[in-house]
Amino acid sequence: MNFASDNTSGAHPAILEGLAAANAGHVHSYGADPITEGVQAKIREIFEAPEARVYLVATGTAANALSCAVLTQPWGAIFCHRNAHIEEDECGAPEFYTNGSKLVLVDGPDAKMDPDLLARTIAHTGRGGIHNVQRGMVSITNSTEAGAVYSPAEVAALTDVARRFHLPVHMDGARFANALVAAGCTPAEMTWKAGVDVLSFGGTKNGCMGVEAVVIFDPKRAWEFELRRKRGGHLFSKHRFLAAQMQAYLADDLWLKTARHANEMARKLSEGISKVEGAKLIHPTDANAVFASFPRGAHKRANEAGAYYYLWPFDQSLDGPEDEPLAARLVCSWATTPEEIDAFLGHLA
Amino acid sequence: MNFASDNTSGAHPAILEGLAAANAGHVHSYGADPITEGVQAKIREIFEAPEARVYLVATGTAANALSCAVLTQPWGAIFCHRNAHIEEDECGAPEFYTNGSKLVLVDGPDAKMDPDLLARTIAHTGRGGIHNVQRGMVSITNSTEAGAVYSPAEVAALTDVARRFHLPVHMDGARFANALVAAGCTPAEMTWKAGVDVLSFGGTKNGCMGVEAVVIFDPKRAWEFELRRKRGGHLFSKHRFLAAQMQAYLADDLWLKTARHANEMARKLSEGISKVEGAKLIHPTDANAVFASFPRGAHKRANEAGAYYYLWPFDQSLDGPEDEPLAARLVCSWATTPEEIDAFLGHLA
Amino acid sequence: MNFASDNTSGAHPAILEGLAAANAGHVHSYGADPITEGVQAKIREIFEAPEARVYLVATGTAANALSCAVLTQPWGAIFCHRNAHIEEDECGAPEFYTNGSKLVLVDGPDAKMDPDLLARTIAHTGRGGIHNVQRGMVSITNSTEAGAVYSPAEVAALTDVARRFHLPVHMDGARFANALVAAGCTPAEMTWKAGVDVLSFGGTKNGCMGVEAVVIFDPKRAWEFELRRKRGGHLFSKHRFLAAQMQAYLADDLWLKTARHANEMARKLSEGISKVEGAKLIHPTDANAVFASFPRGAHKRANEAGAYYYLWPFDQSLDGPEDEPLAARLVCSWATTPEEIDAFLGHLA
Amino acid sequence: MNFASDNTSGAHPAILEGLAAANAGHVHSYGADPITEGVQAKIREIFEAPEARVYLVATGTAANALSCAVLTQPWGAIFCHRNAHIEEDECGAPEFYTNGSKLVLVDGPDAKMDPDLLARTIAHTGRGGIHNVQRGMVSITNSTEAGAVYSPAEVAALTDVARRFHLPVHMDGARFANALVAAGCTPAEMTWKAGVDVLSFGGTKNGCMGVEAVVIFDPKRAWEFELRRKRGGHLFSKHRFLAAQMQAYLADDLWLKTARHANEMARKLSEGISKVEGAKLIHPTDANAVFASFPRGAHKRANEAGAYYYLWPFDQSLDGPEDEPLAARLVCSWATTPEEIDAFLGHLA
């Protein structure tokens, strides 16, 4: 009963099989191997983007921070939601990689930016000319830190605002697959057709060991990305082992299957919690994360039974009245089972 | 017959078995898992350094650049050999991670710094007070970029100079195992007992997929390292998969066995090349890399037979007189076989 | 009738006389001259801080950004008011000099941080350990961007919060003299006695050509400041010309007299505007800046008569109904005259 | 008898008069004043460069480091002479402003880069693709740190090499006027006609208080320069006081007259020293600095008589045999008098 994060699970068996298959013999290092080339071609095909450039890194923070660094100058603001991973969970990696950009925060429900607020925030920033940080780029997280999913139309509403100010757009897709299957659209519809310039295309949380692809739809920015990746220490020498994970992840739509499973598990969990007396969903369960509050007593029973997840925000306590509701985040992954969920729900009731 | 680098080989089977064994169930992410803790304890034991702090990253560039960043201020010079990896092969990663340190270059044969030159170079740097870059740190590569190995006494001769100027010392041990078995000493003797403060302890080139440990002998610097690692995007969420590689690497002295094998293969190769008419060793074959020149004709025959390695420097050409000697670098790894070497030597003769 | 800023005025005649007097003969460069040494001693005396270290730079942005850089690490948050100059008017200089700190914004009326909000904001930041930007430092502006003045007790209320979290405190005193004479306290009471560690002590806006002192009450941080100043290109070679301005500024309490004058002029202006039909003060006129709204018709008459000042915020328009109130900022300086103010008020009525 | 540097002298009286004249009344701040606009037009005229953009800063280090930052990416090498000011005397300011460029050093006599060596050094750098620092820019100092002057043809020989590699060229002209009058050419001939893209045009050492112009011949780079200047804290609010210095400096060819005077004084000093028994010039006295060795006894007599200058290198001692030659640097300025020189020479004999 571990719902702490989708990164507490291991790797899908197919990923490990892919690594084993890739291990034979000598190949060129630093990405000049056939598996890498195959993965790049496959991602271009999946995204219907024959001009796109594709790069692999091992962590989502690297994918996001490097993407920001090629999309904005140091004096450019990065417009993102107040709860975006790049703002709250990367210890300032975007600031480091951009050499000091300022993240300018936009509000909106369910960790989704409100397009009007985005427009007003951009308009406000840089209005004082040389004295201000300039307008740099927009970063959208899909699915969001609150488990919500932007539809392609909602993405386009934000990128339209960005375009009005001539700003490029990044999508943090650490949970891109979960968003995609929830929205029921194609990868192209969710990204470049909706105005996204660069995508962090997550693999780790959805069943890989550690691999994310950065998909750069405008190839002009590619060489700078390569230099920044190397300079950041993110170019693997035995690159085939990043590529083999991604190859297995994409083969036979594994990535869509694991995401669909995780989302279904979250829906099951969400529905079950909703039936608990005193329980309430805090955000819609669009993807693979459930945000809900339910009575402290239920939390205590679940904890005692060994369930593992985060009270959200962290600073709530299990000490206190039994019927007071405490909010929590519970994340499902490719490895979550219906049995786990049933067991967990059994402890809540 | 691939001698291009020790990173063109795959991973040792034991590494993949380690990954598979680590894959079961949920564990805490970001390094709070039992395999990581076991690896940290094991490295402290191997290095006889109970106070040391151990961190894992996926690339040697990350290990080196992060190490430099905790050892020097932005205005501190990094004293290293002109051919050091941090100077020649990391696209400025140390400059990026330190926010602009200057690498000040020291000469010496076989890519080993000469202690007297090091002393003079340090003395010269920073003599003008506030106007100059200050004296920051010393970085030693063992084994060197020329395949040579510093003995513990040679390391101590350099760290003595560093101490005289109150400078900390980093060792780039991307090929630490190769150096260690060549020198026939203990890990402690090669590092902290010889005055090294921080070690990049390589795994990737010597049989892993992609893992390097940073061993910080002075724990005061550890928290800053953790923050810089996270901020650099080098903290793995599914950290067990870095740790599992290192665990398998260290189990049953695998790391020493693979290094010993690679060194033996290099010696065999070196001896074989030496017997070729017109051949000459350029550097001593202390570890797993051979630097030798031999006639163009022999190079052409080897190339036609499918041998793969680098002319060194790169800008030599296979077009020209048959008997003119061309210099080359040939690197052996855990995966190199005697049969490959015999076949290769057969083509040279 | 120029109320655009206190930096549209020239230098007080005594400053130019000081420059002329300092010009004779050869002196050591880079601050090793007797005028510089005298100024440093004088500031230590004025602040009753015999251990303090004093450095001169030419701009307020340099003073602030360098101060931040010695007070926080790159991964440390700088807590400041949403309207602080370091947030809104320095094009990201603090981010640049700190190599990527994040400015975390605190609200409060009249551009003064609310101590409770500060405490909550600090507590919230860094609660997630390694994943978050850490708690770095607090920066207080006095007088504020809204023309208000913190009393020493109000400063201490903020520094108490900072101390609780072990954070150092910077004061942006671009208008320190204006704040000081308004508060009626000593320089020591406003700074180190109230818990301030480093002060940007402004000269430029209050009658100098271009000089600010950075007063570092804790001398441990001084050498790093010197290196950062040089590295930032802010160490003057003919340093006597920075020092001579500051010498003249401090002589015979000129700095207090010019500040008192500017504050009195602002009060006169504020009182005059208050009497205009439909006018309203937006912030208290504690120091030398007036924030007020009054009817568009009055603005138009003033503009036609040649008055120069900013509508605040910028994006208001002089086109529209005559009696609609528009907000404005009007700043007085050492050079503002009662006659100018009377003339201006005459146009409003 | 102060020959320590051209920055130990004060400002030419005309500069102070210019400041006084500029002081009257209110003007727009941050460079939107008529004096600044006049200076920009004047410099465009002097350089026959109607498209050039001109910016003022207060220090040479700021001018150089900001220039580098607009000419190279962080991963680009800056090719310069081993003794260039940007390498030896700016505490790493170029590394700071560029976010970590590497200065790659080129040798040549009299601190002038040898064009062939420059070509070979550039060719060597970046030959390894993504793994290496890339080729970024070339920086030429005129007059050099050894008091020599490049002719326009010599400048063009270097910029030709740069063009072959598609690299932009910066000229550090902290002593541009001294070089210009020595070469007897026009400002245009020494700069853009010889292939220079950005010039640091020095004022401080040649009679100003503290002002340097950055002349950007290609206006595409101008807006980035403005942002970097502001972000570096180098945009003056009371900008007229930088401009007034430069206005006075350029009026009636003052800048050429002071430079001619300084060069003549250096020639007189050089010739005088040459006649001293045991004396020898180390570099040609092309501009306003003399590099010569002469017997320790003569140094001791001069020192006892109050002469002030640097032994060069610093680490020579006045203790030792009387007739052993010690090398020294002696710099003349607009303020040096023939009488000082005669007096000094009298002590040597």
Side-chain angles (χ1 to χ4, degrees):
Chain A
M1 297 187 299
N2 190 313
F3 307 108
S5 176
D6 27 17
N7 59 33
T8 61
S9 58
H12 191 279
I15 302 296
L16 282 167
E17 288 160 22
L19 288 174
N23 195 35
H26 286 275
V27 299
H28 288 328
S29 43
Y30 298 111
D33 63 276
I35 303 177
T36 300
E37 285 158 17
V39 160
Q40 290 167 331
K42 177 76 174 177
I43 288 180
R44 283 194 286 265
E45 184 196 314
I46 288 175
F47 281 86
E48 306 167 50
E51 302 297 318
R53 299 290 295 270
V54 177
Y55 299 104
L56 304 180
V57 293
T59 73
T61 295
N64 289 339
L66 287 166
S67 295
C68 291
V70 299
L71 289 178
T72 184
Q73 293 281 10
W75 46 83
I78 301 173
F79 299 97
C80 65
H81 194 278
R82 179 176 303 283
N83 299 125
H85 201 264
I86 58 172
E87 165 67 10
E88 292 215 314
D89 294 292
E90 300 187 350
C91 195
E95 287 91 339
F96 173 54
Y97 274 90
T98 59
N99 194 22
S101 289
K102 186 187 286 293
L103 278 68
V104 175
L105 308 179
V106 179
D107 285 305
D110 305 323
K112 292 160 90 166
M113 282 188 279
D114 177 274
D116 288 340
L117 269 180
L118 175 64
R120 267 182 281 158
T121 306
I122 297 176
H124 182 82
T125 301
R127 74 203 180 291
I130 196 76
H131 301 284
N132 302 156
V133 162
Q134 305 295 301
R135 297 157 185 160
M137 61 174 284
V138 173
S139 181
I140 303 170
T141 311
N142 207 9
S143 63
T144 76
E145 297 298 309
V149 170
Y150 289 100
S151 69
E154 288 174 314
V155 172
L158 295 171
T159 65
D160 281 353
V161 172
R163 287 295 169 262
R164 211 183 309 154
F165 291 97
H166 311 290
L167 302 186
V169 178
H170 166 249
M171 179 174 280
D172 175 358
R175 296 184 177 101
F176 183 77
N178 303 94
L180 195 73
V181 301
C185 63
T186 68
E189 286 165 355
M190 186 60 99
T191 56
W192 64 269
K193 289 186 176 173
V196 171
D197 297 286
V198 173
L199 170 70
S200 297
F201 176 46
T204 311
K205 288 185 196 304
N206 191 32
C208 294
M209 275 173 37
V211 67
E212 317 278 308
V214 176
V215 188
I216 304 183
F217 295 106
D218 174 357
K220 275 200 318 292
R221 308 182 192 268
W223 177 234
E224 178 177 338
F225 186 92
E226 290 196 44
L227 287 156
R228 289 190 181 274
R229 177 179 57 165
K230 173 68 189 176
R231 190 168 165 86
H234 288 290
L235 176 60
F236 270 48
S237 57
K238 295 184 175 176
H239 195 274
R240 61 169 120 174
F241 296 116
L242 285 182
Q245 293 180 63
M246 189 53 78
Q247 184 186 46
Y249 182 62
L250 299 175
D252 303 321
D253 289 343
L254 175 62
W255 64 299
L256 298 173
K257 292 171 192 161
T258 49
R260 222 169 262 132
H261 174 80
N263 287 10
E264 278 164 20
M265 290 300 100
R267 196 150 45 237
K268 177 179 170 66
L269 180 59
S270 181
E271 289 169 4
I273 292 174
S274 298
K275 291 175 191 147
V276 172
E277 167 105 25
K280 200 176 66 170
L281 289 186
I282 295 167
H283 298 296
T285 307
D286 289 350
N288 66 318
V290 180
F291 291 80
S293 73
F294 46 90
R296 181 179 279 112
H299 283 288
K300 286 167 74 171
R301 287 191 299 279
N303 269 262
E304 277 153 26
Y308 188 57
Y309 57 90
Y310 288 108
L311 295 182
W312 203 263
F314 296 164
D315 52 3
Q316 303 170 91
S317 168
L318 283 184
D319 295 328
E322 288 283 304
D323 55 355
E324 191 183 17
L326 301 180
R329 184 188 81 161
L330 301 105
V331 189
C332 297
S333 78
W334 71 271
T336 306
T337 63
E339 292 73 21
E340 272 183 289
I341 292 175
D342 288 333
F344 177 75
L345 293 173
H347 294 295
L348 297 195
Chain B
M1 296 187 300
N2 190 311
F3 307 109
S5 177
D6 26 17
N7 58 34
T8 61
S9 58
H12 190 280
I15 303 296
L16 281 165
E17 287 159 24
L19 288 174
N23 195 36
H26 287 275
V27 299
H28 288 329
S29 44
Y30 298 112
D33 63 276
I35 302 178
T36 300
E37 284 157 17
V39 160
Q40 290 167 331
K42 177 76 173 178
I43 288 180
R44 283 193 286 266
E45 183 195 317
I46 288 174
F47 281 85
E48 306 168 48
E51 301 298 316
R53 299 291 295 270
V54 177
Y55 300 105
L56 304 180
V57 294
T59 74
T61 295
N64 288 339
L66 287 166
S67 295
C68 289
V70 299
L71 289 179
T72 183
Q73 293 281 10
W75 47 82
I78 301 172
F79 299 97
C80 65
H81 194 278
R82 179 176 304 282
N83 299 125
H85 201 265
I86 57 172
E87 166 66 11
E88 293 214 313
D89 294 292
E90 300 187 349
C91 195
E95 286 91 340
F96 173 54
Y97 274 90
T98 59
N99 192 21
S101 289
K102 186 187 285 294
L103 277 68
V104 176
L105 308 179
V106 179
D107 285 305
D110 305 324
K112 292 160 90 165
M113 282 188 278
D114 177 273
D116 288 339
L117 269 179
L118 174 63
R120 268 183 279 157
T121 305
I122 298 176
H124 181 83
T125 301
R127 75 203 180 290
I130 197 76
H131 301 285
N132 303 157
V133 161
Q134 306 294 298
R135 297 156 185 160
M137 60 174 286
V138 173
S139 181
I140 304 170
T141 311
N142 208 10
S143 62
T144 77
E145 298 298 310
V149 170
Y150 290 100
S151 68
E154 288 174 313
V155 171
L158 295 171
T159 64
D160 281 353
V161 172
R163 287 297 168 260
R164 212 184 307 154
F165 291 97
H166 310 291
L167 302 185
V169 178
H170 166 249
M171 179 173 281
D172 176 358
R175 296 184 178 100
F176 183 76
N178 303 94
L180 195 73
V181 299
C185 64
T186 68
E189 286 165 355
M190 187 59 99
T191 55
W192 64 269
K193 288 187 176 174
V196 171
D197 297 287
V198 173
L199 170 70
S200 296
F201 175 46
T204 310
K205 287 185 198 306
N206 192 31
C208 295
M209 278 174 34
V211 67
E212 316 279 308
V214 176
V215 188
I216 304 182
F217 295 106
D218 174 357
K220 275 200 317 291
R221 308 183 192 269
W223 177 234
E224 178 178 339
F225 186 92
E226 290 197 45
L227 287 157
R228 290 190 181 274
R229 178 179 57 165
K230 172 70 189 174
R231 189 168 166 87
H234 288 289
L235 177 59
F236 270 49
S237 57
K238 295 184 174 176
H239 195 273
R240 59 170 123 177
F241 296 116
L242 285 182
Q245 293 181 63
M246 190 51 79
Q247 184 186 45
Y249 181 62
L250 299 175
D252 302 321
D253 289 343
L254 175 63
W255 65 298
L256 298 173
K257 291 173 193 162
T258 50
R260 224 168 261 131
H261 173 81
N263 287 10
E264 277 164 22
M265 291 299 100
R267 196 151 44 238
K268 177 180 169 67
L269 179 60
S270 180
E271 288 170 4
I273 292 173
S274 298
K275 291 175 190 145
V276 172
E277 168 105 23
K280 201 176 67 172
L281 290 185
I282 294 167
H283 298 296
T285 308
D286 289 350
N288 65 319
V290 180
F291 291 80
S293 72
F294 46 90
R296 182 179 277 112
H299 284 289
K300 287 167 74 170
R301 287 192 299 279
N303 269 261
E304 278 154 25
Y308 187 57
Y309 57 89
Y310 288 108
L311 295 182
W312 202 265
F314 298 164
D315 52 3
Q316 303 170 91
S317 167
L318 283 185
D319 295 328
E322 289 283 303
D323 56 356
E324 191 183 19
L326 301 179
R329 185 189 80 160
L330 302 106
V331 189
C332 297
S333 78
W334 70 272
T336 306
T337 63
E339 292 74 22
E340 272 183 289
I341 293 175
D342 288 333
F344 177 75
L345 293 173
H347 295 295
L348 298 195
Chain C
M1 296 186 300
N2 189 314
F3 306 108
S5 177
D6 26 18
N7 58 34
T8 60
S9 58
H12 190 281
I15 302 297
L16 282 166
E17 287 160 23
L19 288 173
N23 195 35
H26 286 275
V27 299
H28 288 329
S29 44
Y30 297 113
D33 63 276
I35 303 178
T36 300
E37 285 157 18
V39 159
Q40 291 167 330
K42 177 76 173 178
I43 289 181
R44 282 193 287 266
E45 183 195 317
I46 287 175
F47 281 86
E48 307 167 49
E51 302 297 317
R53 298 291 294 270
V54 177
Y55 299 105
L56 304 181
V57 293
T59 74
T61 295
N64 288 339
L66 287 166
S67 295
C68 290
V70 299
L71 289 179
T72 182
Q73 293 281 9
W75 46 82
I78 300 172
F79 300 97
C80 65
H81 194 277
R82 179 175 304 283
N83 299 125
H85 201 264
I86 58 172
E87 166 66 11
E88 294 215 315
D89 294 291
E90 300 187 352
C91 195
E95 286 91 340
F96 173 54
Y97 274 89
T98 59
N99 192 22
S101 288
K102 187 187 286 294
L103 276 68
V104 176
L105 308 179
V106 179
D107 286 305
D110 305 322
K112 292 159 90 165
M113 282 189 279
D114 178 273
D116 287 339
L117 268 179
L118 175 63
R120 268 183 279 158
T121 305
I122 298 176
H124 182 84
T125 301
R127 74 203 180 291
I130 196 76
H131 301 286
N132 302 156
V133 162
Q134 306 295 298
R135 297 157 185 160
M137 61 174 284
V138 173
S139 180
I140 303 170
T141 311
N142 208 9
S143 63
T144 76
E145 298 298 309
V149 170
Y150 289 100
S151 69
E154 288 174 313
V155 171
L158 295 172
T159 65
D160 281 353
V161 172
R163 287 297 169 260
R164 211 183 309 154
F165 291 97
H166 311 291
L167 302 186
V169 178
H170 166 249
M171 179 173 280
D172 175 357
R175 296 184 178 100
F176 183 76
N178 304 94
L180 195 73
V181 300
C185 64
T186 68
E189 285 165 353
M190 186 60 100
T191 56
W192 64 269
K193 288 186 177 174
V196 171
D197 297 287
V198 173
L199 170 70
S200 297
F201 175 46
T204 310
K205 288 185 197 306
N206 192 32
C208 294
M209 276 174 35
V211 66
E212 316 279 308
V214 176
V215 188
I216 304 182
F217 295 105
D218 173 357
K220 276 199 318 292
R221 307 183 193 268
W223 177 234
E224 179 178 337
F225 186 92
E226 291 195 44
L227 288 156
R228 290 190 181 273
R229 178 179 56 165
K230 172 70 190 174
R231 190 170 167 86
H234 289 289
L235 176 59
F236 270 48
S237 57
K238 295 184 175 176
H239 195 274
R240 60 169 121 175
F241 295 116
L242 285 182
Q245 293 181 62
M246 189 51 78
Q247 184 186 46
Y249 182 60
L250 299 176
D252 303 320
D253 289 342
L254 175 63
W255 65 298
L256 299 174
K257 290 172 195 164
T258 50
R260 223 169 262 133
H261 174 81
N263 287 10
E264 277 164 22
M265 290 300 100
R267 197 154 40 239
K268 177 180 171 66
L269 179 59
S270 181
E271 288 169 5
I273 293 174
S274 297
K275 291 176 191 145
V276 172
E277 166 105 23
K280 198 175 67 169
L281 290 186
I282 295 167
H283 297 296
T285 307
D286 289 351
N288 65 320
V290 179
F291 291 80
S293 72
F294 47 90
R296 181 179 279 110
H299 283 290
K300 285 167 75 171
R301 287 191 299 278
N303 269 262
E304 277 153 27
Y308 187 57
Y309 57 90
Y310 289 108
L311 295 181
W312 203 264
F314 297 165
D315 51 3
Q316 302 170 91
S317 168
L318 282 185
D319 295 329
E322 288 283 305
D323 56 356
E324 191 183 19
L326 301 179
R329 185 190 80 161
L330 301 106
V331 189
C332 297
S333 78
W334 69 271
T336 306
T337 63
E339 292 74 21
E340 273 183 290
I341 292 175
D342 288 333
F344 177 75
L345 293 173
H347 295 295
L348 296 196
Chain D
M1 296 187 298
N2 190 313
F3 307 109
S5 176
D6 26 18
N7 58 34
T8 61
S9 58
H12 190 280
I15 302 297
L16 282 166
E17 288 159 23
L19 287 175
N23 196 35
H26 287 274
V27 298
H28 288 329
S29 43
Y30 298 112
D33 63 276
I35 303 178
T36 299
E37 285 157 18
V39 159
Q40 291 168 329
K42 176 76 174 176
I43 289 181
R44 282 194 287 265
E45 183 196 316
I46 288 176
F47 281 86
E48 306 167 49
E51 301 298 316
R53 299 291 295 270
V54 176
Y55 299 104
L56 304 181
V57 294
T59 73
T61 295
N64 288 339
L66 287 166
S67 295
C68 290
V70 298
L71 289 178
T72 183
Q73 293 281 10
W75 46 82
I78 301 172
F79 299 97
C80 66
H81 193 277
R82 180 176 303 284
N83 300 125
H85 201 264
I86 58 172
E87 166 66 10
E88 293 215 314
D89 294 291
E90 300 186 352
C91 196
E95 287 91 340
F96 173 54
Y97 274 90
T98 59
N99 193 22
S101 288
K102 186 187 286 294
L103 277 67
V104 176
L105 307 179
V106 179
D107 285 305
D110 305 323
K112 292 160 89 166
M113 283 189 279
D114 177 274
D116 288 341
L117 269 179
L118 175 63
R120 267 183 280 157
T121 305
I122 298 176
H124 182 84
T125 301
R127 75 203 181 289
I130 196 77
H131 301 285
N132 302 156
V133 162
Q134 307 294 299
R135 297 156 185 161
M137 61 174 285
V138 173
S139 180
I140 304 170
T141 311
N142 208 10
S143 64
T144 76
E145 298 298 308
V149 170
Y150 290 100
S151 69
E154 288 174 314
V155 172
L158 295 172
T159 65
D160 281 353
V161 172
R163 288 295 169 261
R164 210 184 309 154
F165 292 97
H166 311 291
L167 302 186
V169 178
H170 166 250
M171 179 174 281
D172 175 358
R175 295 183 178 102
F176 183 77
N178 304 92
L180 195 72
V181 300
C185 63
T186 69
E189 286 165 354
M190 186 60 100
T191 56
W192 64 269
K193 289 186 176 174
V196 171
D197 296 287
V198 174
L199 170 69
S200 297
F201 176 45
T204 312
K205 287 185 198 302
N206 192 32
C208 295
M209 277 174 34
V211 66
E212 317 279 307
V214 175
V215 187
I216 304 183
F217 295 106
D218 173 357
K220 275 201 317 294
R221 307 184 192 268
W223 177 235
E224 179 177 338
F225 187 92
E226 290 196 45
L227 287 157
R228 289 190 182 274
R229 177 179 57 165
K230 172 68 189 175
R231 190 168 166 86
H234 288 290
L235 176 59
F236 270 49
S237 56
K238 295 184 175 177
H239 195 274
R240 61 169 121 172
F241 296 116
L242 285 182
Q245 293 180 64
M246 189 52 79
Q247 184 185 46
Y249 182 61
L250 300 175
D252 303 320
D253 289 343
L254 175 64
W255 64 299
L256 298 173
K257 291 173 193 162
T258 50
R260 223 169 261 132
H261 173 81
N263 287 9
E264 277 163 23
M265 291 299 101
R267 197 152 41 241
K268 177 179 169 68
L269 180 60
S270 181
E271 287 169 5
I273 293 174
S274 297
K275 290 176 192 146
V276 172
E277 166 105 24
K280 201 176 67 170
L281 288 186
I282 295 168
H283 298 296
T285 308
D286 289 350
N288 66 319
V290 180
F291 292 79
S293 74
F294 46 91
R296 180 179 279 111
H299 283 290
K300 285 167 74 171
R301 287 192 299 279
N303 269 261
E304 276 154 26
Y308 187 58
Y309 57 89
Y310 288 107
L311 294 182
W312 202 264
F314 298 164
D315 52 3
Q316 303 170 90
S317 169
L318 282 185
D319 295 328
E322 288 284 302
D323 56 355
E324 192 183 17
L326 301 180
R329 186 189 80 162
L330 301 105
V331 189
C332 297
S333 77
W334 69 272
T336 307
T337 63
E339 291 74 21
E340 272 183 291
I341 292 175
D342 287 333
F344 176 75
L345 292 173
H347 294 295
L348 298 196

